[in-house]
Amino acid sequence: MRLKTAFFLASALVAIPSFVAAQEKGGVINVATIGEPPTLDPMASTADLVGIVSQHMFETLYTFDKAWKPTPLLAESLPEISADGKTYTIRLRSGITFHDGSDMASDDVVASLERWVKVASRGKQAAAFLDKITATDPLTVTITLKQPYAPLVSLLAFNNSAAIVLPSEKQAEPMKDFVGTGPYMLKERKADQYIQLTRFDGYTPRSGEADGYGGARHQYLDEIRFVPVPDANTRVEAAISGQYDYIDSLPVESFDRLKGSTASEPLVLKPFGYPVFVFNTAEGVAKDVAIRKAIRQALSMEDMLAAAFGSTDFYALDGDIYPKSFVWNTDAGVEGHYNLADPEGSAEAAKAAGYDGKPIRILTSRQYEFHYKMAQVAAEYLKLAGFTVDLQVVDWATLTQRRADKGLWDIYITHSPFLPEPALIGSLSPSSPGWWDTPLRKQTVEAFSAEADETKRLALWADVQKAMYAEIPYIKIGDFNALAAKSTKVEGVVPAPWPYFWNASIKK
């Protein structure tokens, strides 16, 4: 699918200039993150924090270039796809070495993909379409499908719930040996203190220029240390003082202060993505779609966005899943179902649905401060509508653990970048927390996923969005821009939804 030139990172995930090719190796950078990742196994989690760290250690067959098109990483080239769309032949790069010194071959890829379809929510999403995965020869893997599945390459490229390649003998669940092919390898992890990655000298980068997440990945740095800094205000002060070399996920109201810093400079991704309220459709109060509709009717998306981001320079009121600058944009299903801010009507709808006063359990975290601010506003509107609200504020790692338990929550608050392929949206998978699994979901999502024709897929995506508004697996709140900061001493880091530090260097 060719995305419009206005795609949000077409200007941000630029190819790193060729001057870094002459950079000397050396140095350590410290990266301040919003917290401690719940795991370092990217198959086992959809948390962005996991992907940010693990993408330096593990690699996938494909990744995304600066225009968000799939591009080869561990694969030699894009797959050869049979005329009927059911057979994918994947040639692997030769000379790829794992961190333990063993060579990557097709049996490692087969074992890893088999683990992916069992462990990863996006692997489970693809599993229904898979017939078999075979090692045709030492450097060739063949994937045979039961029916065409257009999103497959994008799923194999995504670093979230990722199809990473591990040695065939190191496929334990949960992961015990953190051995990948990436440019950096795990040296030490001290919980709530740091994750230390060191250069893997056996790494073989692709040739050519860096190109988004694709192209050449150079290891100029000796070490990358990821340091959890859960408090947003602490991250802001650390950015202004230059305490860290990169600071992720900053409150947008700190932008002007960052502009005045001599130690750091702001990085803005515009538009970055959208906050969402994900419903538990499997158990609890929100299992009833009529209750979900009543909750949506009560909420003011405009007030939540204003509380979370302050200035309209950093947010836009928009119910379409993709903004108008994206090829996937459609307003199907949105009219009459977005930004209603009608607590009185919500109260009547909840009563008609048989709401009995049971608490609406909302999971949120202050590590993403804008999540918490939206939760506060939502709670007040829901109370006006007569709902009892149990606002549970936890650290992000705890939230990602709790959301996996159907008995513990009714709504959790998260956000997503605008993804290059809609099938990557987690809530479309019935195995993703929220567990949306209805005949309408199956009909619309599978029709969209099976269609290869680009024009037809656009119309089928409109059907999926319409189904999402009809059954409400989640509520999109609006569009927002994200803010991070980097040291003025660091080169080769570009704005990205999952920031990466291969190709980064320290000015000499």
Side-chain angles (χ1 to χ4, degrees):
M1 176 58 63
R2 185 176 178 82
L3 301 181
K4 294 183 179 179
T5 56
F7 186 37
F8 83 111
L9 287 182
S11 62
L13 279 184
V14 293
I16 294 176
S18 58
F19 76 85
V20 297
Q23 290 294 92
E24 296 180 5
K25 289 184 178 182
V28 177
I29 65 168
N30 292 281
V31 178
T33 64
I34 62 101
E36 181 77 9
T39 178
L40 291 182
D41 180 356
M43 285 194 193
S45 178
T46 59
D48 289 344
L49 184 54
V50 175
I52 289 170
V53 177
S54 65
Q55 65 186 340
H56 297 82
M57 302 157 54
F58 304 107
E59 294 182 312
T60 47
L61 293 169
Y62 306 100
T63 187
F64 292 105
D65 66 16
K66 65 176 181 287
W68 287 94
K69 297 176 184 177
T71 189
L73 184 54
L74 290 176
E76 182 64 39
S77 56
L78 289 173
E80 301 165 17
I81 305 174
S82 63
D84 63 3
K86 295 182 181 181
T87 303
Y88 286 59
T89 303
I90 300 171
R91 314 290 180 188
L92 306 178
R93 291 169 60 198
S94 61
I96 301 298
T97 305
F98 288 108
H99 297 160
D100 64 0
S102 61
D103 293 329
M104 183 193 77
S106 56
D107 61 331
D108 301 304
V109 176
V110 170
S112 298
L113 293 181
E114 289 175 344
R115 183 180 189 268
W116 180 62
V117 300
K118 290 189 295 183
V119 172
S121 61
R122 290 188 173 86
K124 294 174 183 176
Q125 190 175 336
F129 296 86
L130 293 176
D131 180 18
K132 58 184 177 180
I133 307 168
T134 56
T136 312
D137 63 44
L139 288 176
T140 306
V141 172
T142 301
I143 299 176
T144 307
L145 303 177
K146 299 173 185 175
Q147 64 186 77
Y149 186 53
L152 180 59
V153 177
S154 291
L155 283 169
L156 293 174
F158 201 26
N159 77 342
N160 181 291
S161 190
I164 57 170
V165 177
L166 308 166
S168 58
E169 69 277 9
K170 294 183 178 178
Q171 303 284 331
E173 304 167 30
M175 184 181 288
K176 296 178 181 178
D177 299 304
F178 298 87
V179 176
T181 60
Y184 290 85
M185 55 188 180
L186 181 65
K187 180 176 182 180
E188 185 177 25
R189 179 182 187 181
K190 286 194 174 182
D192 299 317
Q193 294 186 47
Y194 60 82
I195 296 168
Q196 182 184 18
L197 307 184
T198 57
R199 182 192 298 115
F200 173 43
D201 289 328
Y203 184 70
T204 304
R206 296 191 70 91
S207 59
E209 296 285 330
D211 186 8
Y213 291 91
R217 295 182 171 185
H218 298 295
Q219 316 139 278
Y220 299 118
L221 300 168
D222 294 326
E223 294 183 11
I224 308 169
R225 295 180 184 173
F226 295 92
V227 182
V229 185
D231 182 75
N233 292 327
T234 302
R235 290 199 300 278
V236 171
E237 297 304 324
I240 293 168
S241 68
Q243 181 179 356
Y244 297 100
D245 300 291
Y246 186 95
I247 307 90
D248 195 29
S249 189
L250 293 170
V252 295
E253 59 265 26
S254 65
F255 180 74
D256 288 338
R257 291 188 66 200
L258 284 168
K259 285 197 300 183
S261 170
T262 57
S264 299
E265 58 191 36
L267 299 175
V268 178
L269 285 77
K270 181 179 181 179
F272 171 80
Y274 56 105
V276 287
F277 284 24
V278 180
F279 283 107
N280 183 345
T281 69
E283 292 184 15
V285 182
K287 180 179 180 180
D288 186 342
V289 68
I291 296 295
R292 299 201 295 272
K293 288 180 179 179
I295 290 172
R296 180 177 65 188
Q297 186 173 350
L299 298 178
S300 170
M301 282 56 171
E302 187 170 12
D303 284 356
M304 284 191 284
L305 290 167
F309 302 107
S311 169
T312 52
D313 290 340
F314 287 95
Y315 75 85
L317 193 65
D318 183 9
D320 303 348
I321 302 300
Y322 284 88
K324 288 181 172 55
S325 58
F326 288 70
V327 71
W328 296 110
N329 174 255
T330 175
D331 62 3
V334 177
E335 187 175 359
H337 300 302
Y338 177 76
N339 192 40
L340 300 180
D342 180 16
E344 291 183 3
S346 170
E348 294 176 4
K351 183 178 179 181
Y355 175 65
D356 60 3
K358 194 171 183 179
I360 307 295
R361 298 162 298 173
I362 301 176
L363 274 178
T364 191
S365 173
R366 297 200 70 163
Q367 286 166 259
Y368 292 109
E369 187 70 11
F370 67 97
H371 291 188
Y372 175 68
K373 290 178 178 178
M374 289 189 297
Q376 288 181 304
V377 174
E380 294 307 311
Y381 271 93
L382 291 175
K383 289 173 186 176
L384 288 174
F387 288 100
T388 303
V389 178
D390 177 11
L391 186 60
Q392 300 180 10
V393 184
V394 299
D395 63 86
W396 187 247
T398 299
L399 186 149
T400 61
Q401 291 167 356
R402 287 191 184 178
R403 71 184 180 185
D405 189 326
K406 297 177 182 178
L408 294 182
W409 59 278
D410 301 298
I411 297 171
Y412 81 85
I413 300 176
T414 187
H415 65 272
S416 173
F418 294 113
L419 301 171
E421 160 61 57
L424 297 174
I425 296 172
S427 289
L428 299 186
S429 170
S431 64
S432 180
W435 305 283
W436 183 37
D437 192 11
T438 66
L440 182 60
R441 185 216 68 84
K442 181 178 176 65
Q443 174 191 337
T444 56
V445 172
E446 290 190 2
F448 171 68
S449 298
E451 181 56 62
D453 182 87
E454 294 184 5
T455 302
K456 292 178 180 178
R457 292 194 84 214
L458 293 175
L460 291 168
W461 167 244
D463 292 340
V464 175
Q465 180 174 290
K466 190 174 180 180
M468 295 171 76
Y469 267 91
E471 297 193 340
I472 327 177
Y474 71 55
I475 300 173
K476 178 189 175 183
I477 308 303
D479 303 337
F480 79 100
N481 307 330
L483 178 65
K486 77 169 186 70
S487 168
T488 55
K489 297 179 181 179
V490 173
E491 298 177 311
V493 176
V494 296
W498 303 278
Y500 53 90
F501 305 99
W502 57 81
N503 298 330
S505 61
I506 299 173
K507 293 179 183 178
K508 302 296 184 182

